[in-house]
Amino acid sequence: MTNSETIGAPLPHYAVILTVVPGDDLDGYREMCQHLVAKAKTHPGFLGIEMAESDIGIVVSYWESIDAIRIWSADSFHQAAKHEAKQRWYKSFRTRICKVELNY
Amino acid sequence: MTNSETIGAPLPHYAVILTVVPGDDLDGYREMCQHLVAKAKTHPGFLGIEMAESDIGIVVSYWESIDAIRIWSADSFHQAAKHEAKQRWYKSFRTRICKVELNY
């Protein structure tokens, strides 16, 4: 994990900030995350991902365009993973779609 | 720490995503963070902050406007803290200034 995956990516690009309050039982959660990240990396327009977790989890994924985010959101594996996460692992979660205007 | 500090904040607003690769000696780092967050909360236009830390640290602060971010960036306490962080605590860091277009 680095914090510099989007160095050199043209601006503007887009960030999806997912913040999560995890539940108590995280059995299977990390495996799902690994699969999901591997899948995201194969999607057109994917630029990078950064994750950290302590009291809350924060996942920021970076994309070339809003269209790339829309296509990824509609991916059936991604949708199934989100559904399972909401049911099993997340107490709460919040998503922000952002236009990255500066990156330094 | 919650993940819902900006529920109800008008759109668009702005997010500063700071990602950090921490160094080995973090003596004094957490105290500085606490002071910095307390100070940020007193600044006009501050909406909320979310933080998580594992291999990397991610801090996302939310602001009403780019001007509010500029004023906070120029705050002398903030500048001194950034300088110290770069010198003492961070192996590397990266800042993204983003316009939050959706929040759900």
Side-chain angles (χ1 to χ4, degrees):
Chain A
M1 181 60 55
T2 73
N3 70 332
S4 53
E5 300 215 357
T6 65
I7 287 178
L11 291 170
H13 51 258
Y14 288 82
V16 181
I17 305 172
L18 173 67
T19 55
V20 169
V21 178
D24 299 320
D25 177 9
L26 294 175
D27 189 43
Y29 178 59
R30 274 162 235 297
E31 292 75 8
M32 181 278 286
C33 285
Q34 285 173 358
H35 289 146
L36 204 59
V37 169
K39 179 96 177 171
K41 287 182 176 175
T42 69
H43 260 254
F46 176 84
L47 295 173
I49 191 163
E50 296 167 344
M51 292 181 277
E53 194 177 320
S54 36
D55 290 346
I56 65 168
I58 303 179
V59 180
V60 189
S61 61
Y62 300 97
W63 301 86
E64 283 177 2
S65 66
I66 286 281
D67 271 351
I69 294 171
R70 279 205 197 99
I71 293 167
W72 172 235
S73 291
D75 176 278
S76 59
F77 180 81
H78 186 193
Q79 289 207 327
K82 279 192 286 194
H83 180 76
E84 192 172 12
K86 288 177 203 175
Q87 297 291 322
R88 290 182 56 190
W89 296 306
Y90 293 171
K91 273 190 196 150
S92 71
F93 67 98
R94 193 143 195 94
T95 306
R96 278 99 169 181
I97 310 292
C98 309
K99 183 192 280 185
V100 181
E101 300 188 340
L102 292 171
N103 178 7
Y104 57 93
Chain B
M1 180 62 54
T2 72
N3 71 332
S4 54
E5 301 216 357
T6 66
I7 287 178
L11 290 170
H13 52 258
Y14 288 83
V16 181
I17 306 172
L18 173 67
T19 55
V20 168
V21 177
D24 300 319
D25 177 9
L26 294 176
D27 189 43
Y29 179 59
R30 273 163 235 295
E31 291 75 8
M32 181 278 286
C33 286
Q34 285 174 358
H35 289 146
L36 204 58
V37 169
K39 179 96 177 172
K41 287 182 177 177
T42 69
H43 259 254
F46 176 84
L47 295 173
I49 191 162
E50 296 167 343
M51 293 182 276
E53 194 177 321
S54 36
D55 290 347
I56 65 168
I58 303 179
V59 180
V60 189
S61 61
Y62 301 96
W63 301 85
E64 282 178 2
S65 66
I66 287 281
D67 272 352
I69 294 172
R70 278 204 197 100
I71 292 167
W72 171 236
S73 292
D75 176 278
S76 58
F77 181 81
H78 186 193
Q79 289 207 327
K82 279 191 284 192
H83 181 75
E84 193 173 12
K86 289 177 202 175
Q87 297 290 322
R88 291 181 55 190
W89 296 305
Y90 293 170
K91 272 190 195 150
S92 71
F93 67 98
R94 194 145 195 93
T95 307
R96 280 97 169 184
I97 311 291
C98 310
K99 183 192 280 185
V100 180
E101 299 187 342
L102 291 172
N103 178 7
Y104 57 94

